[in-house]
Amino acid sequence: TSRENTPRGAAIRAQSSLGWYNFLDGFIAREWRQMQHLYYEATKSRRSSLRWTSLLIRQCWVSTHMLMQARTKALEGDESELTEELEHELTTTVRQHFTRGPERMSRKLTRHLFKGSAERLISKGTGMQRQWLSHMIEARERQLRISGASADHTSLRAERELLKRWLQLRSPKRRWKQHEDN
């Protein structure tokens, strides 16, 4: 007998028509159960092909779930190192701007920016720090425009780049693109 005419061959053909991704999702062809039933009969086993089928489906789900967890951990692992580096850089930049203070900036432009302490702002998380830094850059650029200096002052270019890198890291489109490339 050729392999094609065996119960296993029938199960493989049936599953191929349903799709193998469906198999991993637990949508298995009936022929798998029929094949196992024939095996149990041939070996005079008292086991149930229905129970075997339900365990197979469960194992497919567990395996798929474990693969997805491993994939997610691997993908986020690379990003978490980058995120820690960016968080450290963001915190350092916030502290530097607090130390620098409002300098020659208008009190009207900066009074809300220097309310509280750097540590209080840092304790509120990276979202608040990014927002604060963005407002700080705007205020400093506004002051440069008012004083007639160039708006792309080198001290602000680094902060702009930091914010740009952070936003690119957090962009859902970028994450999806990275996953597609791998």
Side-chain angles (χ1 to χ4, degrees):
T1 359
S2 75
R3 230 184 243 197
E4 307 262 328
N5 295 328
T6 63
R8 184 175 64 180
I12 290 171
R13 282 191 306 280
Q15 191 64 53
S16 291
S17 69
L18 286 176
W20 289 98
Y21 283 111
N22 286 329
F23 180 86
L24 292 174
D25 284 336
F27 298 106
I28 65 171
R30 289 186 182 106
E31 286 78 1
W32 291 112
R33 179 175 174 209
Q34 293 166 354
M35 177 193 73
Q36 195 63 27
H37 179 74
L38 290 173
Y39 172 77
Y40 285 154
E41 278 184 343
T43 59
K44 297 183 181 6
S45 174
R46 294 178 54 189
R47 293 183 176 181
S48 163
S49 61
L50 180 60
R51 174 138 171 81
W52 178 87
T53 305
S54 66
L55 289 173
L56 175 63
I57 292 170
R58 185 174 192 282
Q59 188 59 45
C60 287
W61 288 342
V62 168
S63 297
T64 303
H65 181 70
M66 288 174 64
L67 285 170
M68 291 304 292
Q69 281 183 320
R71 180 179 181 269
T72 300
K73 186 176 180 181
L75 291 171
E76 289 179 355
D78 296 338
E79 188 175 285
S80 68
E81 289 175 18
L82 184 57
T83 302
E84 286 177 28
E85 181 184 316
L86 284 173
E87 284 176 5
H88 176 70
E89 190 175 343
L90 181 64
T91 301
T92 302
T93 304
V94 165
R95 282 193 177 109
Q96 288 171 348
H97 276 278
F98 254 93
T99 302
R100 189 172 162 190
E103 290 179 337
R104 293 178 296 271
M105 294 167 46
S106 152
R107 183 169 166 80
K108 182 180 176 186
L109 292 175
T110 60
R111 75 172 161 244
H112 68 282
L113 292 172
F114 290 98
K115 194 183 264 187
S117 68
E119 296 311 313
R120 182 170 177 239
L121 174 62
I122 290 166
S123 72
K124 291 185 177 186
T126 56
M128 287 296 288
Q129 290 176 55
R130 283 192 331 265
Q131 186 177 10
W132 182 88
L133 187 58
S134 178
H135 289 301
M136 175 56 69
I137 291 168
E138 280 182 39
R140 291 201 191 279
E141 286 178 341
R142 199 173 307 131
Q143 184 60 37
L144 289 171
R145 281 193 303 273
I146 290 169
S147 68
S150 172
D152 68 341
H153 194 264
T154 55
S155 67
L156 298 177
R157 194 174 303 147
E159 284 84 352
R160 283 262 182 231
E161 286 301 314
L162 170 63
L163 287 174
K164 190 187 311 180
R165 285 194 340 254
W166 185 273
L167 291 173
Q168 287 173 345
L169 175 70
R170 292 292 176 207
S171 166
K173 285 182 183 177
R174 181 174 182 263
R175 277 198 206 139
W176 182 253
K177 177 86 173 113
Q178 284 177 339
H179 298 320
E180 285 178 337
D181 292 343
N182 292 335

